[in-house]
Amino acid sequence: MATGEWSPTGVDLTTPNTARIYDYLLGGKDNFEPDRRVGEQLLQIIPEARTAARQNHLFIGRAVRYLVKQGVRQFIDIGTKLPARGNVHEVAAESAPDARVVFADGDPVVLAHARALLSGTGSTVVARADPRRPETLLDDPEVRALIDFDRPVAVILDRVLHFIEDVDEAAAAVARLREALAPGGHLVFTHITQEPAPEAGGDVSRVFQPTNEFFWGRSRAEIERIVSAFELVEPGLTYTPEWRPDPAEERVAVPERTYTLAGVGVRD
């Protein structure tokens, strides 16, 4: 462990963690040697992994800004990640100071970091949630205290759905989320895809074995099926760099090499 690294109390820092690996790929500081080791192994297999992480992060920012323009002021961010610069709560607050954000995860590492990094943020709540059952978060008392479900809410499932093994189970979770939202509610999602390099899947799985977490890269058709409860806004299901790109942001020559499909859906 490098000098000066912050360590959350009571958290295992010897086992690689997917949230901290993602933080490492983004160039963050909330990661440790085991995470960096897996990150470097991943880069050996997929040299574009850093670009993919950055593009995923940029997509979430663009989606939040789009939703703020649509009048959305309430966000529930469910997923295995750490609060990084340009994350949901910061992007929403830049455009709408009255925005309310729930940051939710089931990983004690993520929760420990989030509570420390987001302390003193009155418009943000950190809540425990099982990413494999995201719809259950909607009954959390703290969430209900902050979020008015009679008004539009955007639920963000960033790199969550591919941790649900069964396609039907994932689709059912999304459908239950839709039923809990008022008209005008939205779903923002990203999902790792097997396309265009399914042959790399076995190597990637082996790299992630020490994390005790596993994800299922899926085809475009499977992902469309999972999110079918929502009507996708233009441009539909795309690779992250292709969703309403900002000319000021990093350009990607081959969007498919981000290995991540994404979209924004609306509940009518």
Side-chain angles (χ1 to χ4, degrees):
M1 185 184 302
T3 302
E5 285 183 334
W6 176 74
S7 171
T9 303
V11 168
D12 175 18
L13 302 180
T14 63
T15 300
N17 173 275
T18 54
R20 297 196 309 258
I21 294 166
Y22 183 62
D23 179 75
Y24 173 65
L25 293 174
L26 285 174
K29 298 179 180 179
D30 294 308
N31 52 77
F32 302 92
E33 181 56 33
D35 313 306
R36 294 189 280 270
R37 186 166 56 248
V38 171
E40 288 301 320
Q41 291 172 352
L42 180 62
L43 287 165
Q44 291 297 313
I45 301 168
I46 302 178
E48 303 92 345
R50 287 191 188 279
T51 297
R54 288 196 301 270
Q55 289 298 320
N56 188 98
H57 195 61
L58 290 171
F59 158 74
I60 295 296
R62 294 196 304 275
V64 170
R65 285 189 287 271
Y66 163 79
L67 291 172
V68 168
K69 289 180 180 178
Q70 305 308 304
V72 178
R73 295 294 183 271
Q74 302 184 107
F75 299 86
I76 299 177
D77 185 12
I78 308 173
T80 309
K81 57 185 177 293
L82 300 168
R85 183 178 298 277
N87 217 317
V88 172
H89 63 288
E90 291 187 348
V91 174
E94 286 174 1
S95 304
D98 59 335
R100 299 180 177 185
V101 180
V102 173
F103 185 90
D105 205 284
D107 188 325
V109 174
V110 175
L111 293 174
H113 279 276
R115 290 190 175 109
L117 296 171
L118 296 177
S119 61
T121 307
S123 59
T124 303
V125 163
V126 178
R128 178 178 292 276
D130 181 355
R132 293 167 180 80
R133 299 183 62 200
E135 74 282 7
T136 62
L137 178 72
L138 306 184
D139 294 324
D140 183 285
E142 283 192 278
V143 174
R144 288 279 174 181
L146 184 70
I147 301 296
D148 179 0
F149 285 94
D150 291 328
R151 298 171 53 218
V153 177
V155 176
I156 299 168
L157 300 180
D158 180 13
R159 300 173 304 116
V160 168
L161 293 169
H162 52 239
F163 285 105
I164 303 176
E165 179 178 3
D166 184 76
V167 171
D168 289 336
E169 183 182 353
V174 171
R176 288 192 292 270
L177 280 173
R178 180 193 180 280
E179 291 307 310
L181 299 181
H186 286 77
L187 174 73
V188 179
F189 65 92
T190 64
H191 195 302
I192 291 175
T193 178
Q194 290 179 334
E195 304 168 2
E199 69 280 359
D203 291 336
V204 172
S205 296
R206 284 189 290 275
V207 167
F208 276 90
Q209 277 180 350
T211 68
N212 296 321
E213 294 179 294
F214 193 81
F215 56 84
W216 285 262
R218 295 189 171 105
S219 68
R220 176 182 291 269
E222 288 174 317
I223 297 170
E224 288 176 336
R225 178 179 163 193
I226 289 171
V227 300
S228 61
F230 287 81
E231 180 181 352
L232 297 186
V233 303
E234 291 294 332
L237 184 65
T238 70
Y239 288 97
T240 48
E242 298 177 313
W243 197 90
R244 301 178 182 244
D246 183 339
E249 293 176 349
E250 172 188 12
R251 295 185 62 185
V252 177
V254 185
E256 294 85 352
R257 300 293 292 183
T258 59
Y259 304 97
T260 309
L261 288 168
V264 175
V266 61
R267 185 203 193 286
D268 53 22

